[in-house]
């Protein structure tokens, strides 16, 4: 899955709300996603939403660019809604000002975190 917000709609909290809606109700302990390290605005948004870099991967095989693997630990927070409310506070002004679309394959994870190439 890829999540992107077109230029005219950026800076309005749309990416944050799409992300929260996408993950709302998921009863997972953590969420993994890949982001190209050159997507600084997307990486900043993910960090603001509680993600941290957990490793690196080539998501589409050996010919692909190396991507950062970002991890969001939901823990016992009651799911994504509670986590996003705590992390984003509903405002999020300026967090979605992206200069390029965000590519975010999102992988809810119920078991232990993968160990290959993770820090």
């Amino acid at each position: 899955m890829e999540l992107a917000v077109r230029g005219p709609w950026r800076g309005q909290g749309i990416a944050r709300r799409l992300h929260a809606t996408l993950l709302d109700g998921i009863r997972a302990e953590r969420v993994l996603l890949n982001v190209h390290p050159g997507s600084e605005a997307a990486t900043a948004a993910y960090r603001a939403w509680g993600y941290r870099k957990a490793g690196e991967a080539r998501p589409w095989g050996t010919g692909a660019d190396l991507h950062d693997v970002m991890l969001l630990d939901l823990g016992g927070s009651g799911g994504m809604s509670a986590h996003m409310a705590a992390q984003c506070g509903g405002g999020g002004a300026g967090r979605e000002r992206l200069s390029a679309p965000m590519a975010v394959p999102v992988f809810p994870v119920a078991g232990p975190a993968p160990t290959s190439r993770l820090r």
Side-chain angles (χ1 to χ4, degrees):
M1 166 176 286
E2 293 187 12
L3 170 66
V5 177
R6 299 186 98 175
W9 294 282
R10 293 182 188 147
Q12 300 177 39
I14 294 170
R16 178 184 46 81
R17 290 191 309 270
L18 283 171
H19 177 262
T21 300
L22 176 67
L23 299 181
D24 190 32
I26 290 177
R27 299 293 176 206
E29 294 177 13
R30 63 193 62 86
V31 177
L32 295 173
L33 61 80
N34 297 321
V35 61
H36 193 282
S39 299
E40 294 176 12
T43 300
Y46 298 137
R47 287 189 188 282
W49 300 341
Y51 284 87
R52 65 176 174 83
K53 182 176 176 180
E56 297 171 332
R58 295 188 192 281
W60 299 283
T62 57
D65 288 346
L66 194 61
H67 283 63
D68 292 337
V69 177
M70 304 290 289
L71 171 71
L72 175 64
D73 185 7
L74 298 176
S77 67
M80 193 63 212
S81 293
H83 177 80
M84 290 304 287
Q87 289 296 318
C88 298
R95 289 188 179 137
E96 289 74 31
R97 294 184 192 281
L98 304 178
S99 58
M102 294 189 298
V104 283
V106 176
F107 306 102
V109 179
T115 57
S116 63
R117 299 203 61 163
L118 295 180
R119 295 182 188 163

